[in-house]
């Protein structure tokens, strides 16, 4: 029968749920099992997901080891993201879209949530790091109908003042509706008027457009967070959790937490505490302003 420590170690190394590991439990067991090789040997024999018999030894399974390596690295990764200059951080995320096949929605997220000066800083950082302009790489590397839209989006320098014309917003909301009705949602970005509206209008103006269009403003970021918690979430979806928490912690995390609770009927801090583990969990709670949660 497995001991309490063996069960705890199995849980800590299982990778189930896949968002971090319980480092403190591992450290405690390492201390308790010091000079107890029989305990470790018994654990290896019982944990066949991580070990398989290979000749006279219990060999680590490569697939599970790779999975665990990712989970052990989550705290390290989110810490590095947090200490980076925001422009470098965004430039690296943009480069993952242009060169590593990450989803183009990350570029939309960056371009539509960063102030104009900040986006300009991201473009400068991208040139410094990769010796190409962001616009050049987007135009050359993204080979579908989204390319023109994305180039316009990352090239924009939006007005950030307090004025937005309600009548114009209503008119452009109608234009978006007609474009979707005519071309369908999948081809909406082929419409020059839609591209102009989405790439040049101020954030405040776009909020009014989406309000009139009966879209829920801010829903996207809450969905990115929640996608990471879903069973079977893929690697890039889990990375989205770190991206949003790090980039929005000092900006609008309170609004995101409020919107998340309304959308999913649960406090974000409670879901983080339940779905993530160890130092990664604690860092997410700290970024959410919930260090005592």
């Amino acid at each position: 029968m497995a001991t309490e420590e063996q069960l705890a170690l199995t849980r800590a190394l299982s990778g189930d749920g896949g968002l971090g590991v319980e480092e403190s439990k591992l450290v405690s067991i390492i201390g308790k099992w010091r000079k107890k090789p029989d305990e470790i040997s018994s654990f290896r024999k019982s944990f066949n997901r991580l070990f398989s018999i290979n000749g006279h030894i219990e060999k680590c399974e490569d697939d599970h080891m790779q999975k665990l390596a990712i989970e052990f690295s989550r705290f390290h990764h989110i810490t590095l993201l947090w200490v980076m200059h925001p422009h470098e951080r965004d430039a690296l995320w943009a480069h993952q879209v242009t060169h590593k096949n990450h989803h183009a929605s990350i570029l939309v997220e960056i371009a539509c949530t960063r102030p104009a000066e900040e986006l300009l800083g991201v473009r400068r950082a991208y040139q410094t790091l990769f010796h190409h302009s962001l616009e050049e790489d987007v135009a050359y590397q993204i080979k579908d109908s989204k390319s023109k839209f994305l180039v316009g989006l990352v090239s924009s320098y939006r007005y950030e003042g307090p004025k937005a014309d309600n009548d114009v917003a209503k008119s452009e909301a109608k234009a978006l509706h007609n474009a979707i009705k005519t071309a369908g949602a999948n081809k909406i970005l082929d419409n020059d008027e839609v591209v102009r509206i989405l790439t040049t209008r101020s954030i405040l103006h776009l909020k009014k457009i989406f309000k009139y269009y009966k879209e829920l403003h801010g829903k996207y970021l809450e969905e990115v967070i929640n996608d990471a918690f879903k069973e079977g979430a893929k690697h890039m979806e889990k990375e989205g959790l770190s991206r949003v928490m790090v980039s929005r912690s000092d900006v609008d995390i309170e609004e995101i937490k409020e919107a998340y609770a309304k959308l999913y009927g649960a406090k974000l801090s409670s879901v983080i505490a339940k779905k993530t583990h160890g130092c990664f969990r604690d860092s997410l709670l700290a970024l959410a302003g919930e260090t005592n949660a």
Side-chain angles (χ1 to χ4, degrees):
M1 185 175 178
T3 65
E4 182 179 341
E5 286 84 6
Q6 286 177 339
L7 292 173
L9 187 57
T10 298
R11 286 193 295 270
L13 295 178
S14 68
D16 291 340
L19 287 164
V21 294
E22 295 290 354
E23 293 93 344
S24 61
K25 290 182 180 178
L26 292 173
V27 171
S28 175
I29 294 170
I30 288 171
K32 289 179 180 179
W33 283 5
R34 194 174 74 89
K35 296 184 178 181
K36 295 181 180 178
D38 290 344
E39 292 279 9
I40 302 174
S41 176
S42 176
F43 169 72
R44 288 196 298 266
K45 288 180 171 64
S46 66
F47 193 6
N48 56 19
R49 208 184 331 174
L50 179 55
F51 300 97
S52 62
I53 304 299
N54 190 320
H56 65 285
I57 65 168
E58 300 88 19
K59 178 185 176 297
C60 290
E61 291 288 347
D62 291 340
D63 289 347
H64 197 78
M65 289 290 287
Q66 291 173 5
K67 181 179 179 182
L68 280 176
I70 292 172
E71 300 313 321
F72 272 101
S73 71
R74 288 198 189 281
F75 173 63
H76 171 258
H77 183 60
I78 199 171
T79 302
L80 290 178
L81 288 175
W82 178 69
V83 299
M84 274 183 190
H85 193 290
H87 297 167
E88 178 187 9
R89 191 169 60 212
D90 283 347
L92 290 173
W93 284 328
H95 191 258
Q96 288 177 340
V97 176
T98 57
H99 286 79
K100 297 183 179 180
N101 295 319
H102 285 215
H103 201 278
S105 61
I106 296 173
L107 278 179
V108 178
E109 179 185 316
I110 292 170
C112 289
T113 62
R114 279 40 164 184
E117 282 294 326
E118 212 170 294
L119 183 57
L120 185 59
V122 173
R123 290 160 58 191
R124 288 171 174 157
Y126 192 97
Q127 288 190 37
T128 300
L129 292 171
F130 306 113
H131 309 291
H132 292 96
S133 72
L134 176 56
E135 304 93 309
E136 176 187 4
D137 274 358
V138 169
Y140 182 73
Q141 299 290 345
I142 298 177
K143 305 289 188 183
D144 58 30
S145 61
K146 294 190 293 291
S147 178
K148 179 172 66 174
F149 165 67
L150 291 172
V151 169
L153 205 60
V154 300
S155 305
S156 67
Y157 190 91
R158 300 176 188 272
Y159 166 71
E160 293 182 343
K163 295 182 179 180
D165 190 305
N166 286 331
D167 291 336
V168 174
K170 287 179 182 178
S171 174
E172 291 182 339
K174 185 176 180 180
L176 287 178
H177 171 76
N178 290 338
I180 292 173
K181 186 176 180 180
T182 302
N186 292 333
K187 294 187 177 181
I188 187 174
L189 297 181
D190 292 336
N191 185 298
D192 290 339
E193 180 73 357
V194 170
V195 172
R196 179 192 65 79
I197 292 169
L198 295 181
T199 59
T200 64
R201 290 304 191 188
S202 71
I203 301 300
L204 177 61
H205 189 91
L206 288 175
K207 286 182 182 180
K208 288 183 178 291
I209 290 176
F210 297 145
K211 176 185 175 183
Y212 291 126
Y213 194 75
K214 297 182 180 180
E215 291 277 342
L216 177 62
H217 169 64
K219 183 178 177 182
Y220 169 75
L221 292 178
E222 288 76 58
E223 287 184 342
V224 171
I225 291 172
N226 200 61
D227 284 347
F229 298 137
K230 291 179 179 177
E231 185 176 350
K234 296 180 180 178
H235 177 63
M236 278 190 259
E237 291 170 329
K238 292 177 180 179
E239 284 193 337
L241 173 62
S242 296
R243 186 179 69 250
V244 172
M245 295 301 294
V246 169
S247 65
R248 309 313 295 174
S249 177
D250 292 343
V251 183
D252 53 4
I253 195 64
E254 295 301 324
E255 290 86 348
I256 289 173
K257 285 157 60 178
E258 183 179 347
Y260 186 94
K262 288 180 180 178
L263 193 59
Y264 297 107
K267 289 179 63 177
L268 178 57
S269 58
S270 299
V271 179
I272 289 173
K274 180 180 179 181
K275 296 284 189 178
T276 65
H277 309 290
C279 293
F280 181 63
R281 173 197 59 224
D282 296 342
S283 63
L284 290 172
L285 291 172
L287 289 167
E290 303 280 356
T291 51
N292 295 320

